[in-house]
């Protein structure tokens, strides 16, 4: 069965610093991978997705993620953090043919002024 | 225009009551879902419907009964509410089971059982 592990339930960075949120997946078949962001008291918004095309995926708000099959990873990065990036971030996996997303535990990103 | 809308946004009710949450999507998607987010923010699928047919029932107590009158609607009825049902419930939709495009989520319904 597929699963997702997000390393670090809480990440804190300074404004302007690099953001790195880690996600590792487990899947016996090539997966589809997603990053979602959840702002307080809101629903989940899709940031970006990997669907077996380019391994480096660019998303909204300056985020990008790189699919590394050898490391079974799909880490999310942003070169320069902004205060508005403070939120909960979820990595999710879907295997082909399965009609559900399996989510990681979430990582709360805090931005320090 | 809200893509996936669910009502109500907040729901406070007593143990033992029956309540419903409604969900509608105007994206023309063929698959709809209910997810539960617990107090630790963990998200878990409850149900998945494709073209009004139940595809996934993820070991949810039978007090929870989803109903999909058409492709654009998926409602969730909960009988005999328990304290442990308190959570945020998210409706979502996708096309073709979300194979490539991911799922679009509603704003959530925060259910508090007292």
């Amino acid at each position: 069965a597929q699963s997702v592990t997000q390393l670090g339930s809480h990440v804190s960075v300074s404004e302007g610093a690099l953001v790195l949120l880690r996600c590792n997946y487990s899947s016996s078949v090539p997966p589809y991978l997603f990053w979602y962001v959840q702002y307080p008291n809101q629903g989940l918004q899709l940031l970006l997705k990997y669907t077996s095309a380019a391994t480096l995926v660019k998303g909204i708000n300056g985020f990008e993620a790189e699919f590394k099959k050898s490391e079974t990873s799909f880490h999310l990065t942003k070169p320069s953090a902004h205060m508005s990036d403070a939120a909960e971030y979820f990595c999710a996996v879907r295997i082909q043919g399965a009609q559900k997303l399996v989510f990681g535990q979430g990582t709360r990103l805090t931005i320090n002024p | 225009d809200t893509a996936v809308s669910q009502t109500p946004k907040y729901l406070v009710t007593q143990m033992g009551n029956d309540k419903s949450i409604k969900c509608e999507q105007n994206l023309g998607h063929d698959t709809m879902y209910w997810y539960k987010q617990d107090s630790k923010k963990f998200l878990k699928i409850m149900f998945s419907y494709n073209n009004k047919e139940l595809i996934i029932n993820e070991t949810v107590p039978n007090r929870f009964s989803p109903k999909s009158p058409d492709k654009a609607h998926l409602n969730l009825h909960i009988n005999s509410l328990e304290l442990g049902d308190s959570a945020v419930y998210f409706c979502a939709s996708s096309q073709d089971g979300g194979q490539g495009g991911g799922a679009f989520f509603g704003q959530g319904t925060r259910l508090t059982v007292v």
Side-chain angles (χ1 to χ4, degrees), chain A residues 74-88:
Chain A
F74 190 57
H75 301 332
L76 181 71
T77 61
K78 181 173 180 177
S80 177
H82 192 272
M83 296 299 291
S84 61
D85 294 327
E88 192 89 20

Side-chain angles (χ1 to χ4, degrees), chain A residues 39-101:
Chain A
Y39 298 103
N41 297 317
Q42 294 195 23
L44 281 78
Q45 181 182 7
L46 181 64
L47 272 179
L48 49 78
K49 60 189 179 189
Y50 168 74
T51 56
S52 73
T55 55
L56 181 62
V57 181
K58 293 189 184 300
I60 62 172
N61 301 341
F63 284 93
E64 62 182 38
E66 186 171 9
F67 174 70
K68 292 187 177 180
K69 185 177 178 181
S70 60
E71 298 177 8
T72 60
S73 69
F74 190 57
H75 301 332
L76 181 71
T77 61
K78 181 173 180 177
S80 177
H82 192 272
M83 296 299 291
S84 61
D85 294 327
E88 192 89 20
Y89 290 81
F90 293 92
C91 183
V93 65
R94 181 198 302 273
I95 65 168
Q96 297 178 35
Q99 290 186 344
K100 67 176 181 180
L101 287 168

Side-chain angles (χ1 to χ4, degrees), chain A residues 23-43:
Chain A
C23 172
N24 287 88
Y25 69 91
S26 170
S27 175
S28 56
V29 297
Y32 296 118
L33 293 160
F34 307 85
W35 275 99
Y36 283 85
V37 60
Q38 184 180 25
Y39 298 103
N41 297 317
Q42 294 195 23

Side-chain angles (χ1 to χ4, degrees), chain B:
Chain B
D1 282 349
T2 305
V4 181
S5 61
Q6 44 183 119
T7 55
K9 186 164 183 176
Y10 299 97
L11 187 52
V12 181
T13 188
Q14 290 186 326
M15 281 176 54
N17 283 352
D18 304 339
K19 289 293 178 187
S20 291
I21 307 172
K22 295 187 175 182
C23 179
E24 176 182 5
Q25 55 98 0
N26 62 6
L27 297 166
H29 289 166
D30 59 5
T31 306
M32 294 187 72
Y33 315 82
W34 279 108
Y35 282 84
K36 180 179 180 180
Q37 186 174 46
D38 63 22
S39 58
K40 295 184 178 178
K41 301 280 189 180
F42 185 65
L43 279 152
K44 193 175 190 314
I45 190 162
M46 299 172 69
F47 301 102
S48 168
Y49 269 73
N50 181 264
N51 283 314
K52 303 192 301 175
E53 280 193 40
L54 180 66
I55 303 297
I56 292 174
N57 179 342
E58 200 82 354
T59 60
V60 177
N62 58 16
R63 297 183 295 104
F64 290 78
S65 53
K67 281 192 171 52
S68 182
D70 56 56
K71 259 180 29 170
H73 295 84
L74 179 62
N75 304 321
L76 183 65
H77 188 76
I78 315 170
N79 290 325
S80 304
L81 278 155
E82 300 176 358
L83 292 176
D85 298 331
S86 296
V88 182
Y89 293 84
F90 286 102
C91 178
S93 74
S94 66
Q95 183 59 30
D96 296 330
Q99 296 302 314
F104 288 78
F105 283 77
Q107 293 297 292
T109 296
R110 182 174 295 275
L111 172 65
T112 304
V113 183
V114 297

